[in-house]
């Protein structure tokens, strides 16, 4: 039996064929911040071994969790996160199992879902919460643990809610350079893998962040709910020191930058990108990396900058494209144009063809018709993308679209009770449904989009030319499954597809 002060648990989510398993770096940040204060910590990442929210999958998860909890005892509290709405079914099973196993141990939740004020009652009424942390928990969690240890439940702590009517302020770390690097030593780091569309690597990978926040306010995104349009960025020296630690201590040579926008369009964008890339190569060495970047910023890069990006080890740029018309981009509050999207894709493909480009597309939304979705699919096929991911518009509490979809006569938490009772929707998303495009039709059109994009000779040829033989063989099988059914896919089915 292992005894620790704090047990941190990453709940599983419903994975699909080709999905990755990414280290819960947020929890690892919390863990390192607790360790530096003298607390002992353990992490259970349930997503490594469980990945289905079908009734059978949830039963398997409950048994798995019980076996894990029989080997460890948390002395001060249990932390659960990051919480997201699609993982509600798993979080519910986790909450009930924890309460039965450790009836007197406080349970603390954090993450995007827990940070939405309107959703606070769900955690206290349904999920056995003792407290919630709204926002960033690195500085707050140790204060909370100490308060729990002293029996001071209810002690005012910035960012902490103690009951369902307690709308605490959002906790934000002012200087991210003061946070210790994530406690990757508490994770089974070599078991993680990127998703198929992100897999440009040939060794261990990790997510990493240079910045927090996003200056944009897209109507479908929860990011502005926490930081508004404020961005905080740590120094390059601090970032590169963490990357060197990853290489030297863990053998990690693949980095996925999950910043909302690693670089933002500005007058001196090209100078900033080149300086970063040259410093990365000099300070860290030869590594592979990829990033998220808006199309308007990519379109503003010069040929020289793109060459420097490629030389520094950048192997992929992921862009949120979303729509095929300026009208529908405006309805998303995307602040992007079709012209910028086309220019970005053409510039990368013609200048540095070795850098892969991936785009995401949202199907459905205000005033959208089937013909609009057909136009989006055709647009995606004409952009010379290496990967395209299509999603029905999924709405999250706290976003403008959530208010449009949820019945205003109901409580803003009613959806959670409905979701727990709905055994058919095991991927856990709330879809933006209209009379013309109900949920079932959005899913059919999503599968059609995958089929049309990936069942093309030119795509298969490009995939074969830019991918290792092993990844190509697995990927081709996964893509075949995508074309048949992207969403109604259990974890066990996905695994069987991967080993065919």
């Amino acid at each position: 039996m292992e005894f620790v002060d704090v047990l941190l648990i990453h709940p599983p989510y419903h994975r699909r064929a080709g999905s990755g398993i990414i280290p819960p770096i947020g929890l690892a940040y919390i863990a390192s911040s607790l360790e530096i204060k003298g607390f002992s910590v353990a992490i259970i990442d349930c997503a490594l071994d469980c990945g289905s929210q079908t009734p059978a999958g949830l039963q398997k998860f409950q048994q798995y969790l019980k076996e894990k909890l029989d080997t460890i005892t948390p002395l001060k509290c249990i932390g659960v996160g990051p919480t997201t709405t699609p993982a509600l079914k798993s979080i519910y099973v986790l909450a009930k199992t924890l309460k039965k196993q450790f009836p007197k141990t406080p349970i603390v939740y954090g993450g995007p879902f827990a940070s939405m004020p309107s959703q606070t009652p769900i955690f206290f009424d349904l999920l056995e919460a003792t407290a919630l942390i709204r926002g960033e928990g690195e500085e707050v969690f140790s204060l909370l643990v100490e308060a729990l240890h002293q029996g001071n439940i209810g002690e005012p702590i910035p960012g902490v809610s103690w009951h369902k009517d307690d709308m605490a302020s959002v906790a934000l770390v002012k200087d991210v350079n003061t946070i210790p690097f994530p406690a990757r030593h508490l994770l089974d780091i070599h078991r993680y893998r990127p998703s198929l569309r992100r897999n440009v690597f040939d060794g261990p990978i990790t997510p990493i962040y240079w910045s927090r926040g996003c200056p944009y306010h897209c109507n479908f995104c929860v990011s502005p709910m926490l930081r508004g349009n404020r961005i905080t960025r740590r120094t390059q020296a601090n970032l590169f020191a963490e990357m060197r630690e990853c290489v030297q201590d863990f053998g990690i040579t693949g980095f996925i930058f999950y910043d909302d926008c690693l670089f933002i369009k500005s007058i001196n964008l090209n100078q900033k990108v080149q300086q970063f890339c040259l410093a990365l190569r000099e300070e860290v060495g030869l590594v592979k990396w990829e990033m998220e970047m808006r199309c308007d910023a990519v379109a503003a890069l010069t040929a020289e900058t793109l060459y420097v990006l490629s030389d520094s080890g950048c192997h992929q740029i992921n862009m949120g494209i979303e729509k095929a018309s300026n009208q529908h981009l405006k309805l998303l509050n995307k602040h992007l144009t079709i012209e910028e999207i086309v220019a970005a894709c053409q510039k990368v493909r013609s200048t540095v063809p070795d850098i892969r480009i991936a785009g995401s597309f949202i199907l459905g939304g205000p005033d959208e018709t089937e013909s609009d979705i057909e136009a989006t699919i055709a647009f995606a096929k004409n952009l010379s993308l290496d990967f395209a991911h299509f999603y029905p518009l999924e709405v999250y509490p706290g976003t403008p679209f959530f208010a449009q979809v949820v019945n205003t006569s109901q409580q803003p938490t009613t959806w959670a009770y409905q979701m727990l009772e709905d055994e058919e929707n095991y991927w856990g998303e709330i879809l933006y449904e209209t009379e013309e495009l109900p949920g079932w039709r959005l899913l059919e059109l999503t599968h059609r989009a995958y089929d049309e994009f990936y069942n093309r000779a030119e795509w298969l040829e490009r995939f074969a030319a830019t991918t290792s033989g092993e990844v190509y063989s697995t990927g081709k099988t996964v893509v075949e499954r995508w074309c048949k059914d992207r969403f109604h896919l259990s974890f066990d089915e996905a695994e069987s597809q991967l080993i065919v």
Side-chain angles (χ1 to χ4, degrees):
M1 176 68 69
E2 180 184 3
F3 294 88
V4 294
D5 293 323
V6 180
L7 174 60
L8 300 176
I9 302 178
H10 180 212
Y13 47 89
H14 191 84
R15 290 208 303 275
R16 304 164 184 129
S19 295
I21 310 175
I22 300 298
I25 290 300
L27 279 190
Y29 266 119
I30 297 291
S32 61
S33 298
L34 288 169
E35 287 184 328
I36 205 168
K37 296 289 186 180
F39 297 108
S40 58
V41 187
I43 296 176
I44 297 177
D45 186 358
C46 303
L48 277 172
D49 297 294
C50 301
S52 172
Q53 292 189 134
T54 62
L58 292 172
Q59 288 181 355
K60 175 185 175 183
F61 168 50
Q62 187 174 34
Q63 181 60 36
Y64 161 87
L65 187 59
K66 186 178 184 308
E67 293 173 0
K68 284 286 188 180
L69 297 178
D70 283 341
T71 68
I72 193 166
T73 298
L75 301 175
K76 291 183 169 61
C77 79
I78 300 167
V80 177
T83 57
T84 60
T85 51
L88 174 64
K89 293 174 186 283
S90 294
I91 297 170
Y92 182 79
V93 170
L94 174 58
K96 299 308 176 184
T97 305
L98 288 174
K99 196 64 177 178
K100 184 176 181 180
Q101 189 88 357
F102 306 113
K104 296 183 179 181
T105 304
I107 303 175
V108 179
Y109 290 94
F113 183 15
S115 296
M116 297 299 108
S118 64
Q119 304 303 300
T120 298
I122 292 174
F123 291 87
F124 291 98
D125 293 343
L126 272 177
L127 303 177
E128 311 287 354
T130 306
L132 303 184
I133 294 178
R134 292 192 61 218
E136 298 167 356
E138 289 92 345
E139 296 176 342
V140 173
F141 208 112
S142 60
L143 299 176
L144 177 55
V145 173
E146 193 57 44
L148 291 170
H149 182 59
Q150 298 296 331
N152 296 329
I153 292 180
E155 176 183 313
I157 301 173
V160 175
S161 294
W162 292 101
H163 54 80
K164 66 180 180 180
D165 297 318
D166 184 359
M167 300 304 166
S169 59
V170 175
L172 297 176
V173 176
K174 291 183 179 179
D175 184 0
V176 289
N177 293 290
T178 63
I179 306 171
F181 298 153
R184 290 183 174 87
H185 60 278
L186 297 179
L187 301 171
D188 193 355
I189 205 71
H190 293 277
R191 291 188 62 195
Y192 295 98
R193 63 174 186 267
S195 64
L196 176 62
R197 73 181 173 113
R198 294 183 182 272
N199 194 1
V200 294
F201 307 104
D202 48 18
I205 56 96
T206 186
I208 197 163
Y209 294 86
W210 185 20
S211 64
R212 297 184 179 192
C214 178
Y216 300 94
H217 288 261
C218 299
N219 287 334
F220 55 88
C221 184
V222 298
S223 183
M225 302 298 106
L226 300 180
R227 282 193 164 269
N229 62 354
R230 292 167 293 181
I231 296 178
T232 185
R233 197 181 293 272
R234 54 178 165 156
T235 64
Q236 285 187 12
N238 184 274
L239 169 66
F240 295 156
E242 181 185 340
M243 295 179 75
R244 287 195 300 271
E245 178 184 271
C246 289
V247 173
Q248 295 166 7
D249 295 353
F250 301 100
I252 294 171
T253 55
F255 297 89
I256 304 175
F257 281 93
Y258 273 103
D259 306 50
D260 289 315
C261 307
L262 190 64
F263 300 103
I264 299 167
K265 185 179 179 181
S266 64
I267 295 175
N268 55 354
L269 170 65
N270 284 280
Q271 178 185 349
K272 288 182 176 179
V273 175
Q274 290 186 36
Q275 188 277 328
F276 174 86
C277 292
L278 293 171
L280 187 155
R281 185 65 183 266
E282 181 176 344
E283 296 292 329
V284 181
L286 185 59
V287 295
K288 289 185 176 181
W289 59 283
E290 64 181 81
M291 63 174 168
E292 314 290 316
M293 198 169 176
R294 281 174 54 93
C295 295
D296 54 358
V298 175
L301 298 177
T302 63
E304 180 184 1
T305 299
L306 287 169
Y307 292 137
V308 173
L309 264 175
S310 180
D311 289 343
S312 73
C314 179
H315 282 252
Q316 182 161 313
I317 300 173
N318 304 299
M319 298 181 287
I321 296 172
E322 322 309 4
K323 298 294 184 182
S325 76
N326 288 328
Q327 173 193 350
H328 287 104
L329 286 170
K330 188 174 182 179
L331 288 172
L332 296 182
N333 200 34
K334 186 73 179 176
H335 293 286
L336 195 66
T337 68
I338 296 302
E339 294 73 22
E340 289 169 327
I341 292 169
V342 172
C345 294
Q346 289 179 345
K347 183 171 285 189
V348 175
R349 179 60 71 240
S350 63
T351 308
V352 280
D354 289 341
I355 293 183
R356 297 200 321 193
I357 47 177
S360 60
F361 297 85
I362 293 174
L363 308 183
D367 301 331
E368 192 144 327
T369 65
E370 284 203 23
S371 61
D372 293 323
I373 291 178
E374 290 170 357
T376 298
I377 297 171
F379 184 52
K381 290 160 61 179
N382 289 328
L383 287 175
S384 298
L385 296 169
D386 290 283
F387 279 89
H389 264 246
F390 302 92
Y391 305 88
L393 177 54
E394 300 156 353
V395 298
Y396 301 100
T399 63
F401 284 151
F402 184 78
Q404 295 179 25
V405 169
V406 173
N407 189 331
T408 54
S409 65
Q410 298 177 336
Q411 293 295 321
T413 56
T414 300
W415 70 271
Y417 296 85
Q418 296 171 340
M419 184 68 70
L420 289 173
E421 293 175 357
D422 185 358
E423 294 186 353
E424 296 294 320
N425 183 356
Y426 40 77
W427 64 91
E429 302 283 5
I430 309 168
L431 301 185
Y432 192 108
E433 301 184 64
T434 63
E435 186 174 339
E436 178 169 352
L437 291 172
W440 65 268
R441 185 56 180 156
L442 282 172
L443 294 179
E444 285 185 348
L445 290 168
T446 301
H447 302 145
R448 175 175 159 188
Y450 277 99
D451 185 44
E452 289 194 24
F453 183 88
Y454 288 102
N455 271 332
R456 295 179 297 143
E458 60 266 37
W459 181 83
L460 286 170
E461 291 172 4
R462 169 74 181 168
F463 184 48
T466 60
T467 311
S468 69
E470 181 180 352
V471 172
Y472 175 78
S473 177
T474 301
K476 191 171 182 295
T477 302
V478 170
V479 166
E480 288 172 356
R481 179 68 204 202
W482 284 350
C483 298
K484 295 176 182 176
D485 192 347
R486 169 66 172 150
F487 281 84
H488 293 85
L489 184 63
S490 73
F491 175 66
D492 291 336
E493 288 175 312
E495 288 296 286
S496 69
Q497 291 296 322
L498 290 173
I499 62 176
V500 167

